[in-house]
Amino acid sequence: PINGVCCIDGDADRHGVGGGCLGTDCDDTNPDVFDGNREDCDGLDNNCAGGVDDMPVDCVGAICELGALGFAVDVFTRSQDPRIPQVVSLGEGARVVHVEAGPAQPIPRAAVVPHLGAFAEGVETYRRRAGVEYALIHSHYWLSGLVALDLADRWGRLSTPVVHMFHTLGAVKNQARVGEHETPLRVRTEGRIVQRADAVVVASLEEHDRLLKLYPAARTKTSTIPCGVDLDLFRPQDQAE
């Protein structure tokens, strides 16, 4: 029960079935997936909206804007539905590439780890087949960061720098949550990413301070870039309206 009211909640994210829940949950095996959650670039439908990595600011919006500015952007994500084409255009200069790595269906985040090697190999296979040379790798979340380091080693770290954005940190989540713990593998991997990435981007001063408290050596490579605003969707409005 939550506040004395029943909530059937299999993953302890306080979302599930019952009047005591904070909301519904489309995947009660994964605490990072529930209705109303923030959508992250991690190959999951975090907010139960029916799409993967669909937040307009942190992912799609920035990608489309880069494409419109003349940059060629390929976004690699794990294939979770065999009905979706391998390559999907996001607009001018931007496309999503679905990579076969593990079962072509949504799986818990922890179950993705054994397939990261296959994912990196799939990216490399696509790159060779398409005849593409990438000037930069921008990874999101720790799983993608691990793949980014693998690819940078394959392609030459001096010629292909890695820029990483964590969004959340395992050590911070472990400090904030009672009875819920991110794996030691995640915490160790995030430390490795901080050490080896060429640059780290955070979205707020609070996130910046938390990162440097855990990893002081990241100070020289960390930049704070606040999330942007899509002015086609959001604009000043008369308060009377």
Side-chain angles (χ1 to χ4, degrees):
I2 296 178
N3 297 326
V5 183
C6 183
C7 175
I8 301 174
D9 177 18
D11 54 11
D13 61 8
R14 306 187 73 184
H15 290 70
V17 178
C21 299
L22 298 181
T24 58
D25 196 333
C26 61
D27 183 354
D28 214 19
T29 67
N30 191 331
D32 291 312
V33 176
F34 54 85
D35 185 34
N37 192 21
R38 166 179 168 170
E39 185 69 14
D40 282 333
C41 293
D42 58 4
L44 297 173
D45 180 16
N46 302 93
N47 59 8
C48 293
V52 174
D53 297 345
D54 59 355
M55 60 181 172
V57 174
D58 293 87
C59 270
V60 178
I63 292 162
C64 293
E65 288 298 324
L66 286 170
L69 289 171
F71 294 95
V73 183
D74 282 344
V75 182
F76 293 94
T77 188
R78 196 182 69 84
S79 177
Q80 300 187 74
D81 188 340
R83 297 169 297 180
I84 299 177
Q86 182 188 23
V87 181
V88 177
S89 174
L90 288 177
E92 182 180 358
R95 57 191 177 185
V96 175
V97 181
H98 297 88
V99 178
E100 293 184 10
Q105 63 186 40
I107 58 177
R109 184 169 297 172
V112 174
V113 175
H115 304 294
L116 293 180
F119 185 88
E121 188 60 38
V123 173
E124 171 61 4
T125 298
Y126 177 84
R127 184 197 68 81
R128 290 197 305 264
R129 186 180 302 150
V132 177
E133 296 291 337
Y134 294 107
L136 176 76
I137 303 173
H138 189 183
S139 52
H140 293 258
Y141 192 71
W142 71 278
L143 294 173
S144 297
L146 195 57
V147 173
L149 297 182
D150 184 347
L151 293 172
D153 288 339
R154 296 172 185 241
W155 300 342
R157 293 192 56 81
L158 294 179
S159 59
T160 316
V162 173
V163 177
H164 186 76
M165 192 167 187
F166 286 104
H167 297 283
T168 63
L169 288 166
V172 172
K173 294 175 77 172
N174 284 344
Q175 293 170 2
R177 293 181 175 180
V178 177
E180 298 179 46
H181 296 282
E182 294 296 321
T183 65
L185 173 62
R186 174 177 178 177
V187 175
R188 289 196 308 270
T189 298
E190 288 175 339
R192 180 183 171 199
I193 294 169
V194 168
Q195 182 180 24
R196 296 191 57 197
D198 297 277
V200 176
V201 175
V202 296
S204 68
L205 293 177
E206 180 182 13
E207 190 177 350
H208 177 272
D209 292 344
R210 286 178 175 176
L211 177 71
L212 295 187
K213 185 177 180 179
L214 290 168
Y215 308 106
R219 184 176 302 276
T220 59
K221 63 173 69 176
T222 301
S223 299
T224 303
I225 304 177
C227 294
V229 176
D230 186 344
L231 297 180
D232 291 330
L233 292 175
F234 304 100
R235 62 186 63 87
Q237 186 173 343
D238 192 318
Q239 289 187 353
E241 299 179 16

